[in-house]
């Protein structure tokens, strides 16, 4: 029937290619991050061991493959399977078959990674985890090269981008006064969780430019998302604005794959004619020229429409949340983490407090003792070191270190971390950039709190330091496995 042709979107093949391969690439990064960090943080001998967590785990609330049994070996097999499927999808191999093949591949990624997230506790409590899960599930129904992209699924992906952008914008407007008086970026480049190589230069821009940045952010998040649903080429222009603003965030900070997935998903609103007009190298005819027609099987249309109906129904709760005075940020309304609500940095931290961990080999430390500082891969420490670009890779330990002064240093996982340093635990030491004891266990460790700020241009010329820090206090006095002094966990 001719009216069924509306459900096909033959002019969005480029969008499908970017969506499928881009989301699969980010799943690869997520599984790689878990493979490298999960055993040390959450494994059998981790800081928050999953076996202990599962002992009080409700099997009906959080779906996971580990609910019957967890082992580090099984975790590594799950990550290896996720990496393999991700590589195949990036290469476009499952997309060569019938539409159920990439469907199974993406749903496998979704289920495998959800199994990890649902036992990841505080180390996986980030909004981009549920964003990746929702994106993987939705992209699974884009079909294969044998069918045209389903229009309703593309609209649902645009709806995901809308919730991501507009939700973040509304959180800011309802949050701290800094976003409303346009002063938020006087501080944010300096106090964000993990600065990047260009963060200091961005922070040192003139304040009027910071106000322009905030205005641009409000425009991109509160106005532009509505135009993603407009006819072409307006929708493609709106998508381009989203992509460009997200690229600026990539350049000025490290937010794991949050910005990268927003970029990938925004391509759902870019049509082939517009993409070809901007980059003629992008073909208009992907599968053999204008004479080749692809017919969508009825069974596939039924599946995509059923999923569309499911996600539309689930959209009621996040839609209501968007316009609620008590808007939730990064919340899921179902245990499968589908059709969630998103948002970030509703308030801006104005001062950067860094938690510094030091150790000593002295048997009985006093004021003359030599204390050596542990170095982290991403979070600031060394005053001269240029912050590295890590995103889309996620350094989970470094991120949680940023949250400690905002909450409390007396976290269970942090005391476990100090204990692992006293044992010179190899798994934990591999997560650090610098071990001042070269694998030997220190006799004591202590925790100090510092105020950090970016050095001015003149201070940098005088000292070569990119950071200036001031000692605040010692929230955890020296602790040892042999003798205790101060609070131990």
């Amino acid at each position: 029937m001719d009216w069924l042709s509306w459900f096909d979107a033959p002019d969005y093949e480029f969008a499908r290619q970017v969506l499928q391969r881009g989301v699969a690439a980010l799943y690869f990064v997520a599984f790689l991050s878990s493979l490298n960090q999960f055993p040390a943080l959450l494994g059998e001998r981790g800081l928050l061991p999953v076996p202990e967590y599962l002992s009080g785990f409700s099997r009906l609330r959080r779906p996971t493959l580990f609910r019957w049994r967890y082992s580090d070996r099984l975790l590594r097999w799950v990550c290896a399977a996720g990496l393999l499927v991700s590589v195949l999808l990036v290469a476009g191999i499952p997309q060569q078959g019938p539409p159920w093949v990439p469907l199974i591949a993406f749903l496998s990624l979704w289920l495998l990674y959800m199994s990890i997230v649902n036992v990841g506790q505080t180390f996986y409590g980030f909004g981009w985890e549920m964003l990746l899960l929702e994106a993987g599930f939705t992209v699974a129904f884009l079909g294969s090269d044998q069918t045209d992209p389903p229009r309703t699924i593309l609209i649902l992906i645009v709806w995901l981008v809308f919730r991501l952008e507009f939700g973040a914008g509304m959180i800011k407007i309802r949050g701290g006064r800094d976003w409303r008086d346009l002063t938020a970026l006087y501080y944010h480049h300096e106090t964000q969780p993990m600065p990047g190589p260009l963060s200091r230069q961005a922070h040192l821009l003139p304040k009027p430019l910071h106000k322009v940045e905030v205005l641009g952010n409000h425009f991109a998040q509160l106005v532009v998302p509505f135009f993603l649903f407009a006819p072409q080429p307006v929708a493609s222009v709106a998508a381009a604005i989203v992509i460009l603003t997200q690229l600026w965030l990539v350049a000025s900070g490290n937010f794991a794959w949050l910005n990268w997935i927003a970029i990938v998903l925004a391509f759902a609103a870019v049509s082939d004619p517009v993409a070809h007009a901007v980059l003629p190298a992008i073909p208009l005819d992907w599968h053999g020229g204008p004479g080749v027609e692809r017919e969508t099987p009825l069974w596939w249309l039924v599946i995509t429409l059923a999923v569309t109906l499911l996600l539309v129904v689930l959209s009621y709760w996040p839609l209501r949340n968007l316009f609620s005075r008590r808007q939730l940020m990064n919340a899921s309304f179902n245990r499968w983490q589908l059709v969630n609500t998103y948002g970030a940095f509703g308030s801006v931290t104005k001062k950067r407090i860094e938690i510094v961990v030091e150790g000593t080999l002295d048997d009985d430390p006093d004021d003359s003792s030599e204390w050596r500082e542990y170095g982290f891969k991403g979070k600031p420490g060394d005053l001269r070191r240029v912050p590295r670009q890590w995103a889309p890779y996620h350094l989970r330990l470094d991120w949680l270190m940023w949250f400690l002064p905002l909450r409390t240093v007396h976290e269970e996982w942090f005391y476990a971390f100090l204990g692992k340093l006293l044992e010179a635990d190899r798994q934990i030491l591999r997560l650090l950039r610098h071990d001042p004891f070269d694998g030997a266990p220190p006799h004591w460790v202590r925790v100090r709190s510092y105020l950090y700020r970016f050095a001015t241009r003149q201070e940098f010329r005088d000292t070569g330091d990119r950071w200036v820090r001031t000692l605040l206090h010692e929230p955890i006095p020296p602790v040892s496995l042999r003798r205790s002094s101060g609070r131990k966990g």
Side-chain angles (χ1 to χ4, degrees):
M1 292 179 286
D2 291 341
W3 65 271
L4 289 178
S5 63
W6 181 89
F7 294 98
D8 295 333
D11 289 344
Y12 285 83
E13 184 59 45
F14 174 67
R16 175 164 64 184
Q17 297 291 330
V18 173
L19 289 165
Q20 290 181 325
R21 296 170 193 252
V23 170
L26 293 173
Y27 265 100
F28 181 91
V29 174
F31 280 112
L32 182 64
S33 168
S34 296
L35 180 64
N36 292 337
Q37 301 174 66
F38 195 101
L41 300 175
L42 296 144
E44 295 168 274
R45 297 184 60 255
L47 305 183
L48 296 175
V50 170
E52 294 180 13
Y53 177 66
L54 289 175
S55 64
F57 190 81
S58 172
R59 295 186 177 183
L60 297 178
R61 293 184 60 188
R62 292 178 176 269
T64 175
L65 296 174
F66 301 115
R67 68 181 186 177
W68 295 286
R69 183 180 70 89
Y70 172 86
S71 69
D72 290 346
R73 182 178 182 183
L74 179 58
L75 179 279
R76 292 187 175 97
W77 275 109
V78 167
C79 290
L83 290 170
L84 176 60
V85 175
S86 299
V87 168
L88 293 174
L89 285 164
V90 171
I93 295 174
Q95 294 92 309
Q96 299 298 316
W100 60 265
V101 178
L103 170 65
I104 291 177
F106 273 108
L107 291 184
S108 298
L109 294 181
W110 172 63
L111 289 169
L112 289 171
Y113 195 62
M114 183 164 53
S115 294
I116 295 174
V117 171
N118 282 345
V119 295
Q121 305 168 71
T122 188
F123 289 102
Y124 281 76
F126 298 91
W128 49 74
E129 310 288 5
M130 65 175 67
L131 177 58
L132 184 61
L133 290 173
E134 182 178 348
F137 180 88
T138 312
V139 167
F141 296 90
L142 280 177
S144 68
D145 295 346
Q146 295 184 4
T147 62
D148 288 323
R151 190 178 302 276
T152 58
I153 301 300
L154 289 169
I155 293 173
L156 286 169
I157 297 172
V158 172
W159 166 231
L160 171 54
V161 178
F162 179 91
R163 280 181 283 121
L164 177 63
E165 290 289 295
F166 190 70
M170 292 300 291
I171 281 286
K172 292 177 175 63
I173 291 297
R174 292 181 172 130
R177 180 181 176 183
D178 315 284
W179 289 108
R180 296 191 295 272
D181 65 15
L182 309 183
T183 62
L185 293 184
Y186 289 3
Y187 319 100
H188 180 64
H189 292 302
E190 180 177 72
T191 63
Q192 64 182 300
M194 196 181 302
L198 300 179
S199 296
R200 178 172 167 269
Q201 285 72 17
H203 174 70
L204 295 176
L205 290 173
K207 288 186 175 180
L209 284 182
H210 287 316
K211 290 194 172 186
V212 172
E213 278 187 275
V214 178
L215 280 173
N217 179 85
H218 290 336
F219 176 73
Q221 293 190 328
L222 296 172
V223 178
V224 170
F226 289 94
F227 291 94
L228 293 169
F229 299 100
Q232 295 294 350
V234 176
S236 292
V237 173
I241 294 173
V242 171
I243 291 168
L244 289 174
T245 55
Q246 291 295 329
L247 285 173
W248 168 243
L249 295 175
V250 167
S252 61
N254 277 294
F255 299 98
W257 54 79
L258 175 62
N259 307 123
W260 285 108
I261 198 168
I263 290 169
V264 169
L265 295 175
F267 276 92
V270 178
S271 68
D272 289 354
V274 173
H276 178 75
V278 175
L279 289 175
I282 298 174
L284 278 174
D285 302 306
W286 286 79
H287 304 290
V292 177
E293 295 185 1
R294 293 175 293 180
E295 184 175 348
T296 300
L298 182 60
W299 63 268
W300 179 245
L301 178 62
V302 170
I303 288 176
T304 55
L305 291 181
V307 169
T308 299
L309 179 61
L310 170 67
L311 297 183
V312 167
V313 170
L314 293 177
S315 294
Y316 168 76
W317 291 274
L319 179 61
R320 186 177 64 175
N321 179 74
L322 279 177
F323 299 99
S324 171
R325 291 183 179 180
R326 298 182 179 180
Q327 181 186 357
L328 298 176
M329 181 175 67
N330 298 325
S332 180
F333 300 95
N334 56 79
R335 64 195 185 105
W336 299 99
Q337 303 196 49
L338 298 177
V339 197
N340 311 300
T341 181
Y342 302 101
F345 297 104
S347 59
V348 173
T349 306
K350 294 185 178 181
K351 293 183 179 180
R352 180 175 203 94
I353 309 299
E354 285 293 339
I355 298 300
V356 173
V357 182
E358 300 173 331
T360 182
L361 293 175
D362 288 4
D363 289 325
D364 192 10
D366 54 28
D367 292 341
S368 63
S369 297
E370 178 193 14
W371 290 91
R372 305 178 193 175
E373 184 175 329
Y374 286 90
F376 290 76
K377 292 180 179 180
K379 89 177 201 68
D382 184 349
L383 302 182
R384 291 182 171 236
R385 185 169 179 256
V386 179
R388 302 295 193 263
Q389 184 66 40
W390 286 94
Y393 192 82
H394 183 18
L395 295 175
R396 301 178 185 279
L397 177 63
D398 295 64
W399 264 81
L400 282 194
M401 290 292 293
W402 180 79
F403 283 104
L404 286 177
L406 302 181
R407 300 171 180 170
T408 174
V409 297
H410 305 300
E411 295 269 5
E412 178 186 354
W413 72 263
F414 188 54
Y415 278 103
F417 171 69
L418 298 180
K420 295 293 185 182
L421 294 182
L422 288 167
E423 296 172 354
D425 182 84
R426 291 185 180 181
Q427 286 193 125
I428 286 296
L429 292 178
R430 279 197 291 268
L431 299 183
L432 303 178
R433 179 182 62 87
H434 173 61
D435 169 20
F437 303 102
D438 296 322
H443 294 171
W444 298 81
V445 294
R446 70 180 182 185
V447 176
R448 305 189 112 189
S449 174
Y450 285 86
L451 175 66
Y452 269 65
R453 65 170 177 84
F454 278 129
T456 64
R457 293 184 176 89
Q458 185 60 50
E459 287 172 329
F460 175 71
R461 286 192 290 267
D462 292 342
T463 65
D465 292 342
R466 291 176 170 82
W467 293 96
V468 176
R469 76 179 186 181
T470 304
L471 177 63
L472 297 178
H473 65 289
E474 191 174 88
I476 300 181
V479 294
S480 174
L481 294 179
R482 305 174 182 180
R483 294 159 53 190
S484 63
S485 174
R487 176 172 178 167
K488 288 189 69 176

